[in-house]
Amino acid sequence: MRIIGRERELAAIRATVDRAPSAPCNLTLHGDPGVGKSVLLREAVAYGRERGMRVLGGTGYESEAEMAWAGLHQLFAPVPAYFDRVEPFHRDTLRRVMGFRDGPAPDRLAVSIASLSVLAAVAEDGPVLIAVEDAHWVDRPTREVVMFLILRLEPYDIRAVFARRPLTATERVSPGIGMLEVPPLDAEAAAELLAELHPGLPAAVRDRVLADAVGNPLAIAELPAAFGTDAADSLDLLPSGAPLRSRLETGYAGRALTLPSALRTALLRAALDGDGLESAADVRRPSGLTAHDIVAIERLGLIARDSTPSGLRFRHPLVRSAIIATASPDELRDAHTTLAEQYRREPERRMWHLAAAAVEPDEEVAAEIESAAESLCTRGGAGLAVTALRRAAALTPESGATARRLQRAAELASESGQMDAAQRLVDEARRTVDRPEHLTHGLTTRARVLLLRDGDLAAVRRLLDRAPAAGDATDRALQVRLVAAAYAQDPAEWERLRDLVKSADGARPGALTALMYDVLADLPTTASGLADRLGAHLADTAETAPPGYVAELCRAAAWIDQLHMCRPQFARLVEQETGRGALTYAAGGYWFKAHDHTLSGEWDEAEAAANAGLDLCVRHDLELPAQDLRCALGWVAAGRGDVDSARAYSRTVEQWAEPRGSRFHLVLSARNRALAELSQGDYEAAYEQCVHGGVPDSAAAPGYGPWMLLDLVEAAMRTGRVAEAAAQVAAADRAAVADRTPRLRLHMAAAHSLIDAAPAPEAAAARLRSALALPMVEQWPFDHARLRLLLGELHRRNHRPGDARPELQRAADIFRRIGATAWCRRAEHELRASGVAVHREPSDAPGQGAELLTPQQMEVAELAATGLSNKEIAERLYLSPRTVSAHLYRIFPKLGITSRSALRDALAERPGSPAR
């Protein structure tokens, strides 16, 4: 049958399928039910097949919307052989996430990259069309992967067309997604369609159908038959005023009611079974439909022949809801019971049917649903498990167990970024019991929500003051409170926590809680042996350890400068917890990753990790970890000498942190500002930042920022504040700062050398040489290079150029390698002053450094050379404008240029350039 009145939509679809130059390579059709999206999608599939395209995709089902990776199964079901044509890591990733082999759930990024690799391999054998109907019902993990894919189709012979329900007012459309609304037919096209489908209708009936259908093609097709309007005297059967959806459902329900009872029961099971009708090779499983039944149902227009694995589909999604609406509550429960029994070997499918079949509280059923929900967490479904646990709680007969399950659901909701849902579940748990000790987990979850989402440190303290002692729950509450105290840095709060952690009264805290207190409280008397205690914890930590436990170990490690010991652990937080849906712990994992890369001098990797984590936090309103990651980005920018970016990050952090009293963030922000000013040689501004920047009580700043000590002392000495610098170093000696971590020992050695440089240069040089001989000093390249630079400067100023040159050259090489451009220039300046002619490397000549650019840097450079602004480049490459700015800051020295205007000539002069 020809398609009437859809010339615009068909042209857009064909342009996408043909990959026309002006068309997007993906297109999403959205509109009201019955408006013709499915017909247009099938036309896209037919058009693609006519052109020799392989079609992949499937259909979203409401019953599978809560089954993690169900959509991915449909996408790759026709092409399993291509798994063997990608890298083993990608193949293993997909097989694990799809349940074909055992292993921890990989993260979403790994699944996305693996999926793109498989699709690219398929596209090597010919063009590919991805087509998905009812895309709004595809499970969330698959939707996130598909979003990743469709934004990266351009380099491959792949295109995608989707059909989905209308956009809601609150839905955002990502840049790069082609959207096309399918409106109702205009009056002329609607009349033409009605005349073709139902010729000979009386004029009054025709007018009434057109008026009620309002251009909806499905209504035009179905209303006459559904309500028997073949004659004028049946016009009254058309109900007026009822919504169109209700009238169509009523029509389908009327047809279903004409079927025998047994057949209606089988059809009901098919409607409740998701894709049981469409995807089963044997359509009798599990619905029980025979070939004779199918013919009878097809004759009524409830199902249709199609290219699904079974060759069948429901005529329209409204058919499903109509069939379900005709069933009595007992019939629905019986159907769900049958399906639950048939899916006994598939716990995740079974639990939804068990939940729907239950009529009254049943501990056995509730326990089975709870077990399946916990299993779901390990396969990327922490968010989906919340719904299951809530249903399990509703079926729990005992109030204490009900509260426990609701609080576990709240905990998972908070982990998966559903902060509002977590608070509602805690409130629901509180209404079920009147014993406070049953609510400690819930209070801890609420406190964690307040901490991560709002950064409300005072509210966290007040809330957890009310948490009663309850064994393990007390331990968790104390850990959350310790983290909040680490951000607030309030001495009075540390005193209160000392009494709670060290007290022998009540439930004694666990070993991890005691370690966290000793680390985060920053007590010099407890510094000795912390690394050994941390190592013992890490040795005892299994791969299946809860993510919260792992995250707090990593936090302790970062605080005492031992994060390198935890690389497998924080890698799992990123890789496994994004895959499991525990997004809040993944956000922390990204910060640990960024922090470790920064210390290791891998600044591009640090920036990538921090940006990925920041995107995650922004999507899920995780304000506190977002500020952590902005501090990490500001630190990298400051180290590079990108003063504008460092200041911008600091301003954002300070505006958020000051009203909340987060001194930790304020100190980190001040550190970043100070380092940026030092890189530019503005020592006065650097000193002001160290002493006053960001911290309301300036006198407290050095005590709360031992990592700022070296910057403070250098800025003070270079501005003539010798007494102030000496006082700070003496105070740090009394506090045994050098004993806290190996890296602080380097900083203290450098600070002492700056103090002793004038009165005792030999002692200062000896102290620096001793520090540079410490084990593992080279694992912190930026700190290492700063000490080399100080030693070289000390030798040069004491007229020992021969000793200065190797130190300065080594410092310059390290700074150049890690991208500390401003510091590299400073080292080179000292080298020239020591009598070394600093020649540009070949890559510093215009155009000759292009081979050093990463692919993304090359894209940024080429777009900037055309005159586009940072914002325009960011929109094209799906980056933030600040990331574009950071790329350009690194591109200029690689190309040997100093301004944007020189980009065009530098790129034109590169080897192999078309303009050369």
Side-chain angles (χ1 to χ4, degrees):
M1 180 183 293
R2 67 191 179 96
I3 299 176
I4 296 171
R6 294 301 187 198
E7 291 76 14
R8 179 182 70 96
E9 290 81 1
L10 290 172
I13 288 169
R14 288 165 185 163
T16 294
V17 174
D18 288 337
R19 293 290 295 267
S22 60
C25 55
N26 68 85
L27 187 66
T28 299
L29 308 170
H30 63 101
D32 294 327
V35 82
K37 304 182 299 293
S38 297
V39 171
L40 290 169
L41 185 69
R42 286 196 288 275
E43 177 63 19
V45 170
Y47 186 76
R49 285 188 172 134
E50 286 175 7
R51 279 148 183 74
M53 295 179 188
R54 184 194 295 269
V55 179
L56 303 176
T59 301
Y61 299 104
E62 184 175 3
S63 60
E64 292 189 353
E66 296 176 338
M67 294 180 61
W69 307 117
L72 209 64
H73 277 267
Q74 290 195 57
L75 179 64
F76 289 126
V79 290
Y82 285 87
F83 283 24
D84 294 327
R85 289 174 53 173
V86 300
E87 293 293 328
F89 173 78
H90 296 323
R91 180 169 62 247
D92 177 68
T93 294
L94 286 176
R95 286 179 174 168
R96 275 188 289 142
V97 80
M98 294 171 70
F100 295 149
R101 63 178 299 175
D102 293 333
D107 72 89
R108 301 279 163 86
L109 181 60
V111 176
S112 300
I113 294 172
S115 300
L116 184 60
S117 299
V118 171
L119 287 176
V122 175
E124 289 175 359
D125 288 349
V128 174
L129 170 63
I130 300 172
V132 180
E133 187 169 3
D134 286 336
H136 53 281
W137 288 126
V138 173
D139 60 281
R140 180 175 291 277
T142 299
R143 288 208 308 270
E144 291 182 1
V145 170
V146 171
M147 180 66 71
F148 177 93
L149 296 175
I150 62 179
L151 293 175
R152 292 162 176 80
L153 297 183
E154 190 68 39
Y156 310 101
D157 197 1
I158 307 172
R159 64 281 292 147
V161 182
F162 305 93
R164 54 152 295 162
R165 66 187 174 192
L167 290 172
T168 64
T170 58
E171 283 186 272
R172 285 190 316 162
V173 178
S174 299
I177 305 299
M179 302 297 294
L180 180 64
E181 183 176 6
V182 182
L185 294 173
D186 60 34
E188 183 179 347
E192 184 181 353
L193 178 61
L194 181 60
E196 181 160 324
L197 294 176
H198 301 283
L201 280 179
V205 175
R206 184 182 67 246
D207 292 344
R208 181 63 181 274
V209 169
L210 289 173
D212 280 22
V214 198
N216 186 288
L218 181 63
I220 292 169
E222 299 292 330
L223 282 177
F227 295 104
T229 56
D230 292 328
D233 58 4
S234 60
L235 184 61
D236 291 338
L237 294 176
L238 279 168
S240 61
L244 179 60
R245 179 187 178 101
S246 300
R247 281 176 278 166
L248 290 172
E249 283 186 346
T250 301
Y252 289 132
R255 300 182 207 180
L257 289 171
T258 66
L259 294 169
S261 176
L263 189 50
R264 278 197 296 112
T265 298
L267 192 61
L268 175 62
R269 287 198 294 268
L272 293 171
D273 190 38
D275 68 341
L277 177 65
E278 288 90 340
S279 68
D282 178 0
V283 297
R284 293 172 296 174
R285 191 206 68 82
S287 62
L289 294 173
T290 66
H292 181 268
D293 295 337
I294 290 168
V295 171
I297 298 169
E298 186 181 9
R299 193 175 291 130
L300 288 173
L302 298 176
I303 61 176
R305 302 285 175 176
D306 204 353
S307 57
T308 60
S310 69
L312 298 171
R313 64 175 176 83
F314 282 103
R315 183 182 179 91
H316 190 273
L318 291 178
V319 174
R320 289 177 184 273
S321 55
I323 291 168
I324 293 169
T326 64
S328 69
D330 281 343
E331 288 173 329
L332 287 170
R333 284 190 288 270
D334 288 344
H336 280 297
T337 300
T338 301
L339 291 169
E341 187 61 30
Q342 290 172 339
Y343 283 122
R344 183 168 286 279
R345 295 185 179 181
E346 299 179 48
E348 291 175 22
R349 277 184 180 268
R350 172 177 164 81
M351 72 173 178
W352 302 114
H353 293 300
L354 278 176
V359 69
E360 59 184 356
D362 185 324
E363 176 58 30
E364 185 177 342
V365 172
E368 187 171 349
I369 294 173
E370 180 182 18
S371 175
E374 294 293 348
S375 174
L376 188 61
C377 288
T378 67
R379 291 197 56 244
L384 303 178
V386 172
T387 304
L389 281 167
R390 189 168 188 173
R391 181 61 178 148
L395 294 172
T396 304
E398 195 270 318
S399 62
T402 299
R404 177 180 60 78
R405 285 169 177 148
L406 286 171
Q407 289 177 98
R408 175 58 176 155
E411 183 181 6
L412 290 177
S414 71
E415 289 181 5
S416 59
Q418 303 175 65
M419 298 305 191
D420 292 340
Q423 288 195 307
R424 289 195 299 271
L425 287 163
V426 170
D427 290 340
E428 196 174 336
R430 186 173 57 189
R431 291 192 293 269
T432 64
V433 292
D434 54 8
R435 297 177 61 184
E437 62 269 23
H438 286 166
L439 295 172
T440 303
H441 280 297
L443 288 173
T444 302
T445 297
R446 186 188 290 280
R448 191 166 179 271
V449 168
L450 289 170
L451 180 66
L452 296 178
R453 186 187 63 189
D454 306 320
D456 194 340
L457 306 178
V460 169
R461 183 174 64 248
R462 288 196 301 269
L463 188 65
L464 293 181
D465 272 338
R466 307 199 324 254
D472 179 57
T474 300
D475 231 25
R476 293 186 186 182
L478 274 173
Q479 289 171 15
V480 173
R481 190 160 173 177
L482 283 166
V483 173
Y487 284 105
Q489 287 296 324
D490 177 3
E493 174 67 357
W494 284 122
E495 288 297 318
R496 287 190 290 270
L497 285 170
R498 183 190 61 185
D499 293 339
L500 290 171
V501 173
K502 303 298 183 182
S503 172
D505 298 332
R508 187 150 183 86
L512 175 60
T513 305
L515 174 65
M516 287 178 63
Y517 174 80
D518 290 344
V519 168
L520 299 180
D522 218 13
L523 303 175
T525 55
T526 63
S528 176
L530 288 178
D532 291 340
R533 288 167 61 189
L534 174 68
H537 277 285
L538 291 172
D540 292 340
T541 301
E543 286 197 9
T544 56
Y549 181 89
V550 174
E552 297 314 332
L553 278 179
C554 292
R555 188 188 306 277
W559 209 266
I560 60 173
D561 217 19
Q562 299 291 329
L563 198 52
H564 58 279
M565 296 172 62
C566 298
R567 284 170 183 158
Q569 282 75 22
F570 64 70
R572 285 206 303 271
L573 285 178
V574 172
E575 294 165 6
Q576 292 186 17
E577 302 319 321
T578 46
R580 291 174 178 171
L583 303 175
T584 55
Y585 293 120
Y590 278 117
W591 184 84
F592 299 133
K593 191 175 181 180
H595 187 80
D596 184 57
H597 280 310
T598 303
L599 292 180
S600 301
E602 299 160 336
W603 288 358
D604 285 350
E605 292 84 350
E607 185 179 53
N611 275 320
L614 187 56
D615 288 344
L616 182 72
C617 292
V618 169
R619 287 200 307 272
H620 295 280
D621 295 325
L622 303 175
E623 282 293 330
L624 183 134
Q627 306 310 324
D628 291 344
L629 289 157
R630 289 189 178 102
C631 288
L633 288 165
W635 192 15
V636 171
R640 287 173 173 153
D642 184 357
V643 178
D644 289 342
S645 293
R647 287 173 178 167
Y649 283 121
S650 290
R651 279 195 300 271
T652 302
V653 171
E654 288 158 8
Q655 289 168 3
W656 181 89
E658 188 159 356
R660 291 166 176 79
S662 179
R663 288 197 169 202
F664 179 74
H665 285 115
L666 292 171
V667 169
L668 291 185
S669 174
R671 175 204 63 185
N672 293 346
R673 285 181 181 266
L675 185 61
E677 302 297 351
L678 281 177
S679 73
Q680 303 303 305
D682 191 342
Y683 301 112
E684 187 66 41
Y687 182 80
E688 288 300 314
Q689 288 300 326
C690 288
V691 176
H692 302 293
V695 182
D697 179 5
S698 61
Y704 288 118
W707 296 108
M708 291 170 61
L709 179 68
L710 175 56
D711 299 338
L712 172 62
V713 171
E714 181 171 5
M717 291 299 296
R718 293 184 186 275
T719 56
R721 296 178 171 92
V722 178
E724 290 89 337
Q728 292 294 339
V729 173
D733 282 337
R734 289 192 297 273
V737 167
D739 295 334
R740 297 188 187 183
T741 80
R743 196 161 65 93
L744 277 176
R745 188 174 304 167
L746 295 183
H747 286 211
M748 284 300 298
H752 273 287
S753 73
L754 285 165
I755 299 294
D756 297 339
E762 288 301 322
R767 190 184 289 272
L768 284 172
R769 283 194 296 269
S770 176
L772 288 167
L774 290 172
M776 300 176 68
V777 67
E778 294 189 2
Q779 77 176 20
W780 305 300
F782 183 69
D783 302 283
H784 177 201
R786 282 188 74 176
L787 263 68
R788 295 278 180 195
L789 176 60
L790 288 174
L791 182 57
E793 289 175 335
L794 181 63
H795 285 321
R796 189 185 72 76
R797 283 163 177 70
N798 285 281
H799 311 292
R800 297 172 59 181
D803 291 332
R805 289 167 192 151
E807 303 297 342
L808 294 171
Q809 187 64 63
R810 183 79 183 278
D813 291 343
I814 296 172
F815 285 137
R816 185 182 300 108
R817 174 172 59 81
I818 66 177
T821 308
W823 291 86
C824 181
R825 286 197 298 266
R826 178 172 152 184
E828 289 176 343
H829 174 77
E830 290 289 330
L831 268 174
R832 292 188 190 96
S834 70
V836 176
V838 179
H839 299 288
R840 281 189 172 185
E841 297 291 329
S843 62
D844 290 334
Q848 296 299 308
E851 69 275 7
L852 299 179
L853 301 184
T854 66
Q856 189 168 83
Q857 288 172 349
M858 181 62 75
E859 284 186 292
V860 170
E862 289 174 341
L863 291 172
T866 67
L868 294 179
S869 68
N870 287 4
K871 183 178 180 181
E872 291 168 328
I873 296 169
E875 289 173 351
R876 291 199 181 194
L877 299 181
Y878 309 110
L879 302 171
S880 71
R882 194 164 291 142
T883 299
V884 172
S885 174
H887 276 316
L888 288 170
Y889 190 83
R890 295 193 293 281
I891 287 166
F892 289 170
K894 287 184 179 181
L895 294 179
I897 61 176
T898 58
S899 69
R900 200 183 191 102
S901 60
L903 271 171
R904 184 189 297 273
D905 291 340
L907 293 176
E909 292 176 9
R910 71 188 188 273
S913 169
R916 192 173 169 85

